[in-house]
Amino acid sequence: MLMNRAETMLMNNPARAWLQRVYEVPLLERLGARLGGSEVVEIGCGRGVGTELLLQRMGAAHVSALDLDPAMVDRARRRLTRHGARVDVQVGDACDLPFADASADAVVDFGVIHHVPAWRDAIAEAARVLRPGGQLVFEEVTRHALQRWSYRTFLEHPKHDRFSPREFVAELVAHGFTLPQPTVTRFFGDFVIGVAVKPATTYRGPL
């Protein structure tokens, strides 16, 4: 689902960009994210700040960035023009990725899957498009956070079937992912952060 105006403002501010650059990306790298020379799919790219970090900081060879909001896609395209053929940006749904099976080295989720009503389908799509050995790199917001008064009052999210850190990881495992390093939770369980790896065997759907 699309972000409301309050969350759009919250996500499109310099403080959020600073947090991604100085905290989230270094933490994901410590947890094993290795994107150098990779073909990367970013779901929910917003205005393209995370996409730039994937290209400049993490060394992705090419990023296919998607967002459900056409206005954000337009902003990201303008921001990322200077990267030329290393990036393409399009309107897209995390539950219906416009890519072939086993076509990406990594799928990156900077806090998007919690916006998806059918969030399990988004994980299934990530598993489908990843090559064997590919990484799902994620920083996610949990049910614990979404139940807070501030989230319920000012932000808009799906109200049913939200996940805890343990439930999110369990769904990854159900789709065949392994986690070489344990996930990290932050802010009393509000966030779950980690890197999941698709096994080298052929994906056959949830266990």
Side-chain angles (χ1 to χ4, degrees):
M1 63 188 297
L2 296 176
M3 294 187 296
N4 66 8
R5 186 173 182 178
E7 190 162 9
T8 298
M9 293 175 64
L10 183 65
M11 293 297 100
N12 293 333
N13 72 76
R16 167 62 175 160
W18 177 85
L19 185 66
Q20 279 187 285
R21 184 175 64 255
V22 305
Y23 179 74
E24 291 176 13
V25 167
L27 175 57
L28 289 166
E29 289 179 323
R30 290 197 298 273
L31 291 173
R34 298 291 181 267
L35 305 185
S38 295
E39 179 70 33
V40 177
V41 172
E42 183 190 7
I43 56 175
C45 65
R47 64 190 178 113
V49 172
T51 315
E52 277 196 321
L53 292 172
L54 297 175
L55 293 164
Q56 295 177 337
R57 169 66 186 266
M58 303 186 80
H62 181 268
V63 178
S64 297
L66 299 94
D67 200 282
L68 201 59
D69 187 342
M72 288 295 101
V73 168
D74 288 342
R75 293 185 66 175
R77 283 175 176 160
R78 292 194 297 271
R79 182 185 192 94
L80 300 166
T81 298
R82 64 193 180 95
H83 296 285
R86 291 184 64 202
V87 62
D88 65 82
V89 188
Q90 59 184 297
V91 175
D93 186 340
C95 294
D96 187 20
L97 297 175
F99 308 110
D101 295 358
S103 59
D105 299 306
V107 174
V108 177
D109 161 30
F110 285 123
V112 170
I113 290 179
H114 72 282
H115 280 284
V116 179
W119 61 273
R120 292 177 178 83
D121 292 346
I123 291 177
E125 274 292 271
R128 180 186 65 80
V129 303
L130 281 171
R131 298 185 178 108
Q135 297 185 324
L136 173 57
V137 179
F138 59 90
E139 174 266 321
E140 264 307 328
V141 182
T142 69
R143 179 173 63 238
H144 189 267
L146 300 182
Q147 290 173 339
R148 291 185 184 278
W149 176 85
S150 55
Y151 277 78
R152 291 186 286 106
T153 302
F154 299 108
L155 309 179
E156 187 173 351
H157 297 92
K159 293 180 172 55
H160 304 288
D161 192 26
R162 300 301 87 198
F163 49 79
S164 67
R166 180 176 296 180
E167 289 163 346
F168 189 80
V169 170
E171 190 66 20
L172 295 175
V173 173
H175 283 275
F177 285 102
T178 62
L179 289 96
Q181 296 194 47
T183 58
V184 171
T185 56
R186 289 291 184 264
F187 300 103
F188 308 102
D190 282 8
F191 298 90
V192 57
I193 304 164
V195 178
V197 178
K198 181 176 177 176
T201 56
T202 302
Y203 172 68
R204 301 183 183 279
L207 300 177

